[in-house]
Amino acid sequence: MRVMGKTYEIRDPIHGFIELNEWERDIVNHPVFQRLRRIRQLGLTDMVYPGAMHTRFEHSLGVMHVATKMFDQIVKRRQDFLETELSFTAGGLERDRVLVRLSCLLHDVGHAPFSHAAEGLMDKDPATNKSYKHENYSAAAVAFLMQDVIENHPLNQNYKITAQEIADFLNGRLALGRVLLWRSLVSGQLDADRADYLLRDSHHIGVAYGRYDLNRLLVTLTIALDPETESPVLAIEDGGVHAAEALILARYFMFTQVYFQHTRRAYDHHSVQAIKHLLMEAQRGGDLINKEAFPPPTSRENMEQYLKWDDWRVLGMIHHGLASGHGDILLNRQHHRRVFETPEVPNTSDLEFAEQVFAGLDDLVSFVDKAESSWYKFESADIPILLRPGQGDEELTKLSRLSTVVSGLKAVSRTRVYVAIENKEEAREKVRVLRQQKEAQA
Amino acid sequence: MKVSLDIPWQRYALIAELAQRCEGKCPQFGKTVLQKMVYLLQEVFHIDCGYDFDIYAYGPFTPQLLQDLDLVEHTGAVKIHPVVSMTGGYEISPGGQAAALIEKGSDFLNKGEVKKAIETLVDEFGHFWAKDLELRSTIIFVQRDSQKQGKLLSADDIVEIVKQIKPKFTNAEIRDAVEELKAKKYLEPVA
């Protein structure tokens, strides 16, 4: 039975009205969620695109809204398939819908100040020797700090959804069993996260690059078995091929024109270095801070300390001159300058030349930026497409097999080299000479 | 802190090396098989290739590997062809520049433990189809994931969890794969 009760509407610039029930409204009003009003969606992107002042708060509501539409569409079209082929039940699907809504709503509560930019300052997981991700912090915030508001609401009586389940969903834990299928709605080629941020970022920034036909995509969304692996995957019916193409192109343009824009990436670097300095200073002051990293998401105390960090706090400290040289760079907009970059898709010779340039610039290099270390990447897109749905001879193929536009797009693997503004002319001259030498050798 | 450029030649070379070694050995060395082979190389043979895998209903996956594959194809070290068959998908084969790219990553590929691990990987898993590798890599992910949480799963537990994620496989198919991995000591410890 679907959760009923009083509903509330929040006006949204992308989706019109976003509907919440009382339980969800209480979660939105929780301090952990309200903190998202103080985490900008795109960090310091406003240094390049002044309109980029929107926050994770509205994006999180948008992701919940889009994921629900996706979920409802899939169930409406493929309930028989879900029940007979994948062993879902009607009651189970109803509960999954609630779990998906809450997980999407909460998927970003663990973001660091300036969103993805500071993700490089997250501590290392000793079990994997890899840095924790914001999803791990989101899961920990839910599990350690939001248990009461999630588990003890009257509207949860029928579902008995636990904070741990939502944390497992966000972490991608296998304990979820078949529910893992729905994780593709928040993290995958066709996820609600991308579906929302492309439109929302375009809207606020004032560019048209991220626009695509969400409604067409939604009505053609389905689920099918991949013949290569016999695994269930989210797919688009063949009628939505061009909407899927538009989504891929939107991602490509937004990545190259906005997310990986060279000046914007310099500001990511400066903001990370400024926060790193502030973390060290905070440690000196006796906070529970782990050297140059945020505390690991392993305890309630750590999460309470971590969540005290938000954009307001960091910007205030920068404004008061506490963030050292990089803070001053941010205040005065004297960012490091790009003096060299490879093509978007480099070949061996391009990469070898990058190595020569790097060696030639030597100590002038302030930092190196790579597309692969960027938080929104543009990697190969292979959206599954279901041909002839409902005609008795369905076939699953890949968008890249049907679309010459998409098959021609390669993952962006550009590398850039930056120097301090005062070294820009000297560095550019060195690069120019190296380029001449290369051309002479050729 | 000293800034570095760190072109990941070893990752690019690994893709070319696997394409070369799997040619004529794998029934279809495609994008899915590449994902699962590299996952096994990292998890089972403990060779750090620099990838961070996440779990989906379709098994362990990292988009970084697809990104690298695009670049490696662009260098001419591999070719990627669409496959016209029931399974669909792609086939990756060595390209004209494979040897040159492998040479760029030779410091990594010629390390004793890396060389041995790749040889064993291709010998023991190279003959599988994508579907079989997906099942085996998911089983290993289930076991490793529980181990990280301090939980020791029995073979029955593993079968039950994998069956939920991959309902198209029969219990017998999953159990056979678990037993096979256990026998090769790739699934330790199991309760």
Side-chain angles (χ1 to χ4, degrees), chain A residues 137-210:
Chain A
Y137 282 85
S138 293
V142 169
F144 289 123
L145 303 172
M146 303 187 82
Q147 191 177 3
D148 185 48
V149 71
I150 290 167
E151 296 181 8
N152 298 326
H153 197 281
L155 288 178
N156 192 20
Q157 273 180 357
N158 287 337
Y159 303 111
K160 306 217 175 337
I161 286 171
T162 64
Q164 190 55 50
E165 264 180 291
I166 296 172
D168 285 346
F169 191 96
L170 298 174
N171 271 332
R173 295 284 325 286
L174 292 151
L176 292 167
R178 66 177 62 87
V179 178
L180 191 64
L181 172 66
W182 304 119
R183 191 162 179 262
S184 295
L185 291 179
V186 74
S187 173
Q189 284 291 346
L190 281 168
D191 68 35
D193 188 27
R194 283 175 185 179
D196 183 82
Y197 73 61
L198 290 170
L199 295 172
R200 192 172 300 281
D201 294 347
S202 284
H203 170 83
H204 286 286
I205 287 171
V207 299
Y209 304 123

Side-chain angles (χ1 to χ4, degrees), chain B residues 3 6-7 15 22 43 50 81 86 109 113 118 133 145 169 174 178 185:
Chain B
V3 181
D6 285 339
I7 305 284
I15 292 171
C22 289
E43 273 302 320
H81 319 270
M86 285 299 286
L109 294 174
E113 70 273 20
I118 293 173
L133 281 173
D145 186 54
F169 288 96
I174 302 170
V178 169
K185 302 195 186 307

Side-chain angles (χ1 to χ4, degrees), chain B residues 5-173:
Chain B
L5 187 65
D6 285 339
I7 305 284
W9 294 112
Q10 78 286 355
R11 294 206 315 247
Y12 304 150
L14 174 64
I15 292 171
E17 173 82 7
L18 285 175
Q20 209 162 62
R21 283 180 181 264
C22 289
E23 193 178 32
K25 186 146 197 167
C26 295
Q28 183 182 332
F29 183 65
K31 294 180 183 182
T32 308
V33 170
L34 174 65
Q35 287 275 344
K36 308 311 169 194
M37 294 283 256
V38 174
Y39 172 75
L40 293 169
L41 193 60
Q42 287 203 162
E43 273 302 320
V44 174
F45 297 96
H46 311 292
I47 303 299
D48 185 2
C49 308
Y51 293 107
D52 195 4
F53 285 85
D54 209 351
I55 188 74
Y56 292 90
Y58 44 87
F61 173 83
T62 172
Q64 182 65 57
L65 190 48
L66 283 184
Q67 177 156 348
D68 288 351
L69 178 63
D70 267 7
L71 187 141
V72 172
E73 183 192 20
H74 187 66
T75 66
V78 299
K79 291 182 279 191
I80 305 174
H81 319 270
V83 172
V84 185
S85 71
M86 285 299 286
T87 55
Y90 291 89
E91 179 134 37
I92 304 166
S93 61
Q97 296 300 311
L101 194 61
I102 288 169
E103 178 58 31
K104 298 285 292 181
S106 57
D107 285 353
F108 171 71
L109 294 174
N110 288 338
K111 278 184 195 164
E113 70 273 20
V114 176
K115 205 171 177 175
K116 187 165 182 293
I118 293 173
E119 279 168 10
T120 315
L121 172 79
V122 176
D123 276 353
E124 303 213 342
F125 293 95
H127 59 285
F128 285 124
W129 288 91
K131 177 187 159 191
D132 307 314
L133 281 173
E134 181 152 312
L135 175 60
R136 281 153 184 80
S137 59
T138 303
I139 288 168
I140 287 165
F141 199 106
V142 166
Q143 190 263 343
R144 300 287 197 271
D145 186 54
S146 300
Q147 198 184 338
K148 274 181 213 154
Q149 309 303 317
K151 218 164 105 184
L152 214 54
L153 295 179
S154 66
D156 286 346
D157 296 332
I158 296 175
V159 172
E160 192 183 325
I161 294 171
V162 173
K163 175 70 181 170
Q164 283 210 13
I165 303 166
K166 301 198 168 296
K168 296 306 285 181
F169 288 96
T170 64
N171 282 347
E173 283 174 318

Side-chain angles (χ1 to χ4, degrees), chain A residues 191-388:
Chain A
D191 68 35
D193 188 27
R194 283 175 185 179
D196 183 82
Y197 73 61
L198 290 170
L199 295 172
R200 192 172 300 281
D201 294 347
S202 284
H203 170 83
H204 286 286
I205 287 171
V207 299
Y209 304 123
R211 291 190 193 154
Y212 64 93
D213 190 349
L214 174 61
N215 289 330
R216 184 68 188 148
L217 213 60
L218 284 173
V219 299
T220 52
L221 189 63
T222 188
I223 194 163
L225 283 179
D226 183 339
E228 199 182 2
T229 61
E230 295 201 354
S231 295
V233 290
L234 296 189
I236 295 289
E237 292 184 353
D238 46 15
V241 162
H242 297 302
E245 277 179 331
L247 176 74
I248 300 298
L249 289 170
R251 284 184 49 221
Y252 173 71
F253 289 130
M254 283 297 279
F255 178 78
T256 54
Q257 303 301 306
V258 178
Y259 306 133
F260 199 56
Q261 200 273 352
H262 63 96
T263 304
R264 215 205 55 69
R265 289 293 287 168
Y267 280 99
D268 278 352
H269 170 75
H270 295 305
S271 59
V272 169
Q273 296 305 316
I275 295 172
K276 191 186 276 190
H277 179 83
L278 295 173
L279 284 169
M280 287 171 69
E281 289 300 308
Q283 188 185 30
R284 210 188 303 272
D287 275 9
L288 280 174
I289 301 296
N290 179 13
K291 296 171 192 167
E292 294 179 348
F294 291 112
T298 48
S299 70
R300 182 186 180 91
E301 293 71 26
N302 282 0
M303 287 311 299
E304 284 170 347
Q305 285 296 325
Y306 173 76
L307 293 175
K308 284 181 187 168
W309 289 94
D310 59 27
D311 292 8
W312 289 12
R313 180 179 178 185
V314 173
L315 288 170
M317 292 168 113
I318 291 172
H319 177 67
H320 285 102
L322 302 175
S324 182
H326 290 281
D328 294 340
I329 285 173
L330 293 173
L331 282 172
N332 299 308
R333 205 176 184 280
Q334 296 291 304
H335 56 273
H336 292 346
R337 297 303 204 261
R338 169 200 56 176
V339 292
F340 172 78
E341 66 184 10
T342 66
E344 284 182 1
V345 188
N347 58 29
T348 307
S349 147
D350 297 324
L351 293 173
E352 286 170 343
F353 184 57
E355 289 182 323
Q356 282 176 33
V357 168
F358 182 78
L361 292 175
D362 198 20
D363 287 344
L364 290 179
V365 177
S366 297
F367 76 100
V368 170
D369 189 31
K370 294 183 182 184
E372 68 177 64
S373 59
S374 176
W375 20 278
Y376 295 145
K377 298 175 179 57
F378 182 76
E379 71 269 359
S380 295
D382 244 352
I383 292 179
I385 303 290
L386 188 63
L387 303 175
R388 302 177 296 280

